[in-house]
Amino acid sequence: MKPKMHGAVKSTGYAAGSLLTVADLTVVEVAAILAATDRIEQMSSGDRARMLTGRRIALLFYESSTRTRTSFELAAKSLGAITTLVSDKSSSIEKGESLKDTGLTLRALGAECIILRHANSGAPYLLAKATGLPVLNAGDGMHEHPSQALLDLRTILARLPGVNAGRIDAKTLAGVTVVITGDILHSRVARSNAMLLPRLGAKVVLCGPAGLLPEDALGLGSALNTGCVEIERDFDKALKQAQVVMMLRIQRERLAGLELDLADYIARYQLNEERLVVGAPKAVAMRLVMHPGPMIRGLEIAGEVADGPNSAIEDQVRHGLAVRTALLVRALGAGGFESVTV
Ligand code: ASP
């Protein structure tokens, strides 16, 4: 397995249409994906269902998921594809079958594309190499969650006036500061966003206590040196600059021995109504409080904020469904993505 724990390394030699890391996407490709998302969204359901009629897509999930799994599945079905879900809880994976053998079995059964979520960073590279199929990384360990970063980008762009998704460039997010707060160390969402958003001109400010946000945050040392990604440990100071506030869950399943005083964490880093309204006027003006889910209400975010008028959390879910239709069309070389290479 190729464990890609640090920085942005491009992957080459995998089936066209694979999406293993956001580092593989040029800004032009990001624009093409977002433009295709718009086009597919505007199609009638009948036309959309003809795009991937009868194509076989396997969802291979070794970790729990609600939003990512369901949206990929619904996206595939809306395009007319046939889907099958294989999860570690109800398959031969439980009996110890390897990722490679599971992938080869799915390919022998006719799968043309595999969507993989796995607890190990780098697992999608192994699967893509072993099967030669296009693989979409639906979250691998502490590494990446590329479709999440794309849906987050679309959520942000939707709140900016006059942006044409198909024409985004390195300046589209100039002047936009995105504050990502919480368990940055374990977050593939933070990593993918911190790699993608600055390429469109955004500044990303990472915020959290040292235990959850080490100095070389996410291994993105080079990005930290460019000034596009910064660390600010004081949440209230970070909020003052933020047009976008992205809150992250404390990932208990990955804490492995890290002691965290939850009461102290809540006092310093919970996004509550007062903190937001008084401390983050620009994010309130944009109505851009985001969270990839699952949220732990009362811990990183207060229920009143999650349900409040500044929350874009349900919009993120809707954009996730839309973006994933385009990623599937791209993976299967349909709808104008024929020439895609990675
Ligand atoms: N759903 C996101 C992920 O799979 C965030 C989280 O689990 O907290 O990475």
Side-chain angles (χ1 to χ4, degrees):
M1 189 176 303
K2 180 180 172 192
K4 251 180 46 100
M5 294 298 297
H6 294 289
V9 179
K10 282 210 160 219
S11 43
T12 48
Y14 300 98
S18 289
L19 182 55
L20 307 177
T21 160
V22 293
D24 285 339
L25 297 173
T26 62
V27 172
V28 171
E29 282 172 311
V30 173
I33 290 167
L34 295 181
T37 305
D38 288 355
R39 272 200 310 279
I40 297 168
E41 200 171 50
Q42 282 152 21
M43 283 178 170
S44 69
S45 52
D47 285 346
R48 193 178 310 140
R50 278 187 280 279
M51 290 197 82
L52 296 182
T53 308
R55 306 290 299 268
R56 293 184 189 184
I57 295 172
L59 295 113
L60 181 50
F61 275 67
Y62 287 73
E63 263 191 1
S64 318
S65 168
T66 303
R67 280 149 290 272
T68 306
R69 198 192 83 190
T70 312
S71 59
F72 265 121
E73 189 171 349
L74 290 176
K77 290 203 158 98
S78 77
L79 295 162
I82 299 163
T83 61
T84 184
L85 170 68
V86 179
S87 96
D88 58 332
K89 308 276 175 335
S90 56
S91 68
S92 289
I93 297 167
E94 244 187 351
K95 301 180 187 170
E97 185 165 61
S98 70
L99 174 61
K100 175 176 174 179
D101 287 328
T102 304
L104 293 177
T105 302
L106 292 173
R107 188 180 70 180
L109 289 168
E112 297 171 77
C113 164
I114 302 178
I115 299 157
L116 176 67
R117 167 161 295 189
H118 201 285
N120 291 346
S121 303
Y125 292 84
L126 184 148
L127 184 70
K129 190 157 184 231
T131 62
L133 295 176
V135 169
L136 300 181
N137 179 358
D140 62 328
M142 290 155 52
H143 175 225
E144 274 216 51
H145 199 341
S147 63
Q148 178 74 43
L150 289 168
L151 78 87
D152 287 339
L153 171 61
R154 191 172 196 248
T155 306
I156 296 169
L157 293 176
R159 298 276 163 98
L160 295 176
V163 173
N164 177 340
R167 288 174 178 245
I168 55 169
D169 60 26
K171 294 208 177 106
T172 301
L173 293 181
V176 174
T177 298
V178 180
V179 171
I180 307 181
T181 304
D183 186 357
I184 311 280
L185 173 62
H186 301 100
S187 177
R188 52 201 178 204
V189 174
R191 177 189 290 271
S192 289
N193 271 303
M195 284 164 62
L196 180 67
L197 300 177
R199 291 171 58 208
L200 298 168
K203 178 165 117 185
V204 170
V205 176
L206 304 172
C207 185
L212 298 178
L213 173 56
E215 278 303 313
D216 178 14
L218 305 170
L220 294 173
S222 51
L224 282 166
N225 292 336
T226 62
C228 304
V229 181
E230 284 178 8
I231 291 179
E232 171 55 71
R233 303 217 179 262
D234 181 327
F235 189 30
D236 295 301
K237 274 195 192 151
L239 282 176
K240 252 190 212 116
Q241 327 170 33
Q243 275 85 10
V244 182
V245 182
M246 205 178 278
M247 302 304 296
L248 299 175
R249 178 176 71 96
I250 303 292
Q251 302 198 25
R252 285 174 201 264
E253 71 274 28
R254 299 189 220 277
L255 284 183
L258 195 82
E259 296 286 330
L260 192 71
D261 178 339
L262 286 185
D264 178 61
Y265 184 82
I266 289 170
R268 291 170 62 199
Y269 294 106
Q270 183 189 77
L271 187 64
N272 57 37
E273 188 66 11
E274 195 192 334
R275 213 169 219 156
L276 175 69
V277 171
V278 177
K282 297 181 198 163
V284 169
M286 300 272 286
R287 293 180 299 112
L288 272 173
V289 172
M290 297 169 65
H291 193 306
M295 296 183 267
I296 312 298
R297 287 169 183 254
L299 208 171
E300 71 271 9
I301 190 165
E304 68 215 6
V305 174
D307 298 330
N310 302 307
S311 167
I313 296 169
E314 286 187 24
D315 286 352
Q316 286 174 271
V317 178
R318 283 187 276 273
H319 288 301
L321 177 61
V323 163
R324 286 171 178 134
T325 57
L327 292 179
L328 290 168
V329 166
R330 175 180 181 269
L332 290 170
F337 280 114
E338 289 81 355
S339 59
V340 161
T341 50
V342 289

